[in-house]
Amino acid sequence: MKSDHLILSRNTTIAFPETPTVPVRNALGIFARDFAKVFGAAPLGVGRGSADIVLTIDPDADARGPESFSIDFSDGAGSAVSHVTANDELGLIYALLHLSEHWLGVDPFWFWADREPQRLETIAVPARAFRSPKRRVRYRGWFVNDEVCLIGWTEIYPPPAEIWKPVFETLLRLGGNLVIPGTDLPRDGVQTAVAAEMGLHVSHHHAEPLGAEMFFRAHPDQEASFDRNGALFEALWREAIERQKDQRVVWALGFRGQGDCPFWEQDPAYDTPERQGALISRAVQRQYDLLQAILPGAPCLTYVYGEIAELYRAGHIEFPPGVMRIWSDNGYGRMVSRRQHNHSLRVPSLPEPQDQGPHGIYYHATFHDLQASSHLTMLPVASSLIIGELQAAFAAGADALLLVNCGNVRPHLYTLDLIAQLWNHGYADAALAPSEFAGRYFPQQSEAVSELIRRHIACAIAYGPHDDDRAGDEFYHHPARSLAGHVMRGETDRTAEDLIWATGRVSLRDQARWFEEHAAAAAERYRRLEQDCDQLAQSLAEDQAVFFRDFLLFQTRFHRSSAQGLSFLANSILAFLDGAYPQAFVHAAQSVWAYRETLSAMENSEHGKWQHFFRADWLTNVKITLYTVESLRSFYRMFGDGPDFFLWHKAYLMPEREKKIYLENTHRNPPSDDALAQRLKVHFGM
């Protein structure tokens, strides 16, 4: 009798290769964990032999090449038998995760979305053959960069394996095969070993060529000059190659300064583009020669990023043939050179027909630049822009690698999911993307949630003429601290130079007015969206409501409260410049209260396993913004309320009869900033 279904249950057996590698054993462990969540027990492993699910690695099984797998069925005793055959180790890992998702119902983002599979007694899997499709991009991965939330989530430093495993598992579930596991972490950290043990290729930060230790850490008393200390650099590079030569590595070549900055900031002798490009070319060639001498044919890449892109386009840099050129977006989704301070040439960042390949892309789902980037909230640019830019890059030949800055993962699920569709299939539908995402997590309210996602993206402040000039969470915080600092330092007669990228070169007063207008309008847009999100959350099942509040409602509240904070802060500066000091004090207090709401929104999302997730918010740094605005509020009391900090109370709040007869020893109790501001707010009708 032909069996047209495979029946899964707690009695299911699974056969796997006799001596599975460490990555395969880890994948089997993930599958067994997922299976136990559904059926209450892991499948019974029988090693080699007959079983309900038979796993095999056969390099000659499929002509589709590396990382592929197939699923076939044969008749069994009352139930079909599944034969899963992979071309290689990573193909078998993908196969197991495919079974987890499509047979057991485990979502790729289950960990981050707090979404557990349904408990069942049996599952009937249709006995239909399956062939894994060929991925659009050869190397597909994440750069876990600016990962302060992941670092601060635990008290252990560097973060232990328990922090990294969910990150790498999710990447594998999305079809990724490459990772840069963190930024400038101590060498005794486990992150690289965990990535390798889970089957991923590893690569390196563009400031850490070949994964070598930074020069100043190894030689703190020496000059970081390749001309004067080239032998010391080469020793570090050789050590890095020897240390990693038995791992799966896509080697990064390059030469920047110590830290993530151009080397000529520390070596002013390289004061022309020609000199800068010549040194980079020479250093990269030497790295390449060392690598190929030890590992002939080793895959390697170099980043055509930031100042490197401008030097390369001007013809000042030459790279060895065969080295993969990695082109980058500007941190805001557009494939042009990034803005550096107020300098933004927007040089196209795609290979041209005459550029030797292969080519790849470094793309930001999240970014940190002390200006307007998205670090704690999702990238607020249109899905059509992301899709269009990546498809244009593929068409230009930049399709050998797609590396995505994933940051802290949790805030960026929508963007990461969209990009994964592109690296797997080469296409995605911008009109349907929000609906498809919402349908997975909020099936009863998918259309309502998808519309809220679209509105959330559309609410972002458009601060410049380009469609990628869209404000993320840092927009409300770094500029706020800059403006407040100028006031407290007495620099009100000069332009805030670090804000010209947004406002243009205008007076500080006009800069404050510019931020007030943009932030106030955005706060109102986000306020209306927040009301609708809050209302919809109340209609969701509890498990869905938890994720919705942590995902879209949290991010909307963050933007709304932070936009209000910036708007009130700017109003306080305008009032201060007009000499209306009590009113400036009240506006500053309103800014404090708004930023406290931002902090509260973050704390409210730190429940269960997410406790302390935002503890290390050192980049957007809401707590430092709050500290700054509280300091500004106290500073304003020096203008008319001091030196005893009772004069505004007496002038505006004390009854007239009390003013004439009060005794200082019974009445002069200086009110706190909060208490005074609350009463003055009412008095001034603010």
Side-chain angles (χ1 to χ4, degrees):
M1 178 177 176
K2 183 175 177 60
S3 303
D4 57 1
H5 284 82
L6 164 65
I7 306 302
L8 302 178
S9 72
R10 63 186 299 121
N11 299 316
T12 294
T13 56
I14 183 169
F16 45 82
E18 186 172 0
T19 55
T21 62
V22 171
V24 170
R25 288 204 304 271
N26 279 321
L28 285 166
I30 291 172
F31 182 73
R33 178 204 65 202
D34 296 345
F35 200 95
K37 287 181 179 181
V38 175
F39 298 113
L44 178 62
V46 298
R48 298 181 69 180
S50 61
D52 300 307
I53 304 172
V54 180
L55 307 176
T56 306
I57 294 179
D58 181 357
D60 300 320
D62 198 318
R64 284 167 302 142
E67 303 177 4
S68 62
F69 66 90
S70 61
I71 304 174
D72 295 292
F73 294 88
S74 64
D75 291 340
S79 171
V81 173
S82 174
H83 302 273
V84 180
T85 305
N87 269 42
D88 51 26
E89 176 184 83
L90 198 48
L92 188 56
I93 293 170
Y94 289 142
L96 286 163
L97 296 176
H98 175 89
L99 304 187
S100 173
E101 179 180 358
H102 295 278
W103 290 7
L104 304 179
V106 178
D107 187 83
F109 290 121
W110 72 268
F111 179 85
W112 310 95
D114 290 310
R115 186 59 44 85
E116 296 290 346
Q118 184 181 359
R119 284 295 298 267
L120 297 168
E121 293 297 320
T122 61
I123 295 176
V125 178
R128 290 196 291 267
F130 177 83
R131 300 289 181 272
S132 62
K134 184 176 177 60
R135 315 275 183 177
R136 178 63 181 83
V137 177
R138 170 65 183 95
Y139 292 110
R140 312 165 299 278
W142 286 352
F143 179 12
V144 188
N145 182 227
D146 296 328
E147 69 278 20
V148 291
C149 295
L150 299 180
I151 291 172
W153 195 10
T154 172
E155 294 182 353
I156 302 171
Y157 184 80
E162 289 70 26
I163 298 297
W164 296 107
K165 285 181 178 179
V167 176
F168 301 152
E169 178 186 326
T170 305
L171 174 57
L172 286 165
R173 286 182 178 276
L174 294 173
N177 61 6
L178 173 75
V179 70
I180 301 178
T183 311
D184 193 29
L185 293 172
R187 298 178 70 191
D188 60 354
V190 301
Q191 61 279 353
T192 300
V194 173
E197 289 168 1
M198 295 185 72
L200 290 163
H201 299 265
V202 297
S203 192
H204 316 110
H205 188 291
H206 53 257
E208 300 170 328
L210 299 171
E213 187 173 14
M214 285 196 182
F215 185 91
F216 274 153
R217 286 213 173 90
H219 304 290
D221 299 324
Q222 298 290 330
E223 286 185 272
S225 167
F226 188 56
D227 280 334
R228 290 180 286 279
N229 282 312
L232 295 179
F233 273 103
E234 290 189 16
L236 293 175
W237 297 339
R238 283 195 184 92
E239 185 278 332
I241 297 169
E242 291 290 341
R243 171 167 37 89
Q244 302 168 87
K245 67 182 181 181
D246 295 326
Q247 301 175 15
R248 284 189 289 197
V249 179
V250 180
W251 302 84
L253 313 179
F255 194 77
R256 299 196 82 208
Q258 299 301 290
D260 196 3
C261 64
F263 68 85
W264 52 86
E265 291 185 7
Q266 297 146 349
D267 193 343
Y270 290 90
D271 56 356
T272 68
E274 292 80 6
R275 291 175 181 173
Q276 295 161 0
L279 181 60
I280 292 169
S281 301
R282 185 156 52 91
V284 169
Q285 182 67 54
R286 186 58 183 146
Q287 293 164 12
Y288 179 82
D289 292 342
L290 290 171
L291 176 64
Q292 297 302 321
I294 298 172
L295 295 171
C300 47
L301 58 82
T302 191
Y303 295 93
V304 187
Y305 180 61
E307 73 282 351
I308 305 295
E310 296 174 12
L311 291 171
Y312 180 78
R313 275 281 166 250
H316 301 307
I317 295 179
E318 291 185 6
F319 296 122
V323 174
M324 200 183 318
R325 277 77 160 158
I326 307 303
W327 304 82
S328 178
D329 74 313
N330 61 351
Y332 296 82
R334 185 64 78 187
M335 294 297 297
V336 296
S337 60
R338 63 170 289 192
R339 182 173 61 238
Q340 301 265 27
H341 307 293
N342 295 318
H343 179 65
S344 184
L345 292 180
R346 295 181 67 89
V347 176
S349 184
L350 284 176
E352 295 179 352
Q354 69 272 18
D355 291 319
Q356 294 182 349
H359 301 280
I361 311 163
Y362 173 40
Y363 200 78
H364 292 80
T366 172
F367 193 46
H368 166 63
D369 70 349
L370 306 176
Q371 293 184 343
S373 48
S374 300
H375 175 65
L376 299 177
T377 59
M378 75 169 82
L379 182 67
V381 301
S383 302
S384 57
L385 186 151
I386 296 172
I387 295 169
E389 289 298 282
L390 292 179
Q391 288 184 327
F394 295 162
D399 59 355
L401 177 147
L402 175 48
L403 180 67
V404 181
N405 189 322
C406 69
N408 299 295
V409 182
R410 189 186 181 204
H412 313 294
L413 303 186
Y414 174 76
T415 309
L416 294 173
D417 186 62
L418 183 64
I419 295 172
Q421 293 183 49
L422 288 154
W423 75 28
N424 283 322
H425 310 299
Y427 60 86
D429 189 321
L432 295 179
S435 301
E436 292 171 348
F437 184 86
R440 279 165 42 195
Y441 303 106
F442 317 103
Q444 285 76 42
Q445 294 282 5
S446 60
E447 283 309 308
V449 173
S450 65
E451 181 56 29
L452 294 174
I453 292 173
R454 293 184 184 94
R455 284 177 57 192
H456 180 89
I457 294 171
C459 279
I461 292 172
Y463 60 83
H466 308 287
D467 55 0
D468 55 296
D469 291 336
R470 311 283 289 183
D473 48 274
E474 294 191 346
F475 180 90
Y476 316 108
H477 294 273
H478 296 284
R481 300 198 291 264
S482 175
L483 290 168
H486 274 73
V487 171
M488 287 189 282
R489 292 190 300 269
E491 299 170 354
T492 56
D493 60 340
R494 67 184 72 170
T495 298
E497 295 286 333
D498 59 330
L499 301 181
I500 291 173
W501 60 269
T503 65
R505 184 171 292 281
V506 296
S507 67
L508 186 75
R509 178 188 293 272
D510 286 340
Q511 287 182 306
R513 185 175 293 112
W514 186 94
F515 277 103
E516 193 284 325
E517 291 172 353
H518 284 74
E524 178 57 23
R525 293 194 298 272
Y526 283 115
R527 183 193 65 78
R528 293 193 297 268
L529 177 61
E530 183 181 354
Q531 288 180 334
D532 293 341
C533 287
D534 195 44
Q535 183 177 356
L536 186 135
Q538 298 174 37
S539 70
L540 295 171
E542 183 55 29
D543 61 332
Q544 296 177 28
V546 168
F547 175 49
F548 181 79
R549 292 189 179 102
D550 290 346
F551 164 56
L552 199 60
L553 184 53
F554 157 68
Q555 296 197 26
T556 301
R557 282 180 173 161
F558 189 108
H559 279 271
R560 188 269 303 162
S561 57
S562 293
Q564 287 178 331
L566 178 57
S567 173
F568 283 129
L569 171 67
N571 267 321
S572 81
I573 293 172
L574 293 171
F576 176 79
L577 294 176
D578 288 338
Y581 303 127
Q583 291 84 352
F585 172 78
V586 174
H587 282 308
Q590 290 172 307
S591 178
V592 166
W593 301 332
Y595 283 125
R596 284 178 185 166
E597 277 196 77
T598 305
L599 201 59
S600 177
M602 297 165 69
E603 292 168 349
N604 288 341
S605 73
E606 293 181 311
H607 52 80
K609 71 187 180 192
W610 302 114
Q611 285 293 328
H612 308 303
F613 187 76
F614 292 113
R615 173 166 52 188
D617 168 32
W618 301 320
L619 300 184
T620 299
N621 214 327
V622 177
K623 288 182 180 178
I624 287 295
T625 304
L626 185 57
Y627 168 83
T628 301
V629 181
E630 286 176 336
S631 300
L632 181 67
R633 179 177 66 172
S634 298
F635 171 80
Y636 286 150
R637 290 186 74 171
M638 300 292 181
F639 294 82
D641 195 36
D644 301 310
F645 299 98
F646 191 75
L647 297 179
W648 285 347
H649 176 84
K650 178 182 177 183
Y652 300 110
L653 304 177
M654 184 180 287
E656 288 298 323
R657 63 182 183 277
E658 293 292 326
K659 292 180 183 180
K660 298 177 181 179
I661 62 173
Y662 82 94
L663 299 177
E664 292 190 4
N665 65 322
T666 58
H667 281 72
R668 186 165 290 192
N669 179 17
S672 69
D673 286 353
D674 273 336
L676 179 61
Q678 288 284 8
R679 295 189 64 192
L680 287 176
K681 175 174 173 282
V682 174
H683 174 79
F684 291 124
M686 298 170 62

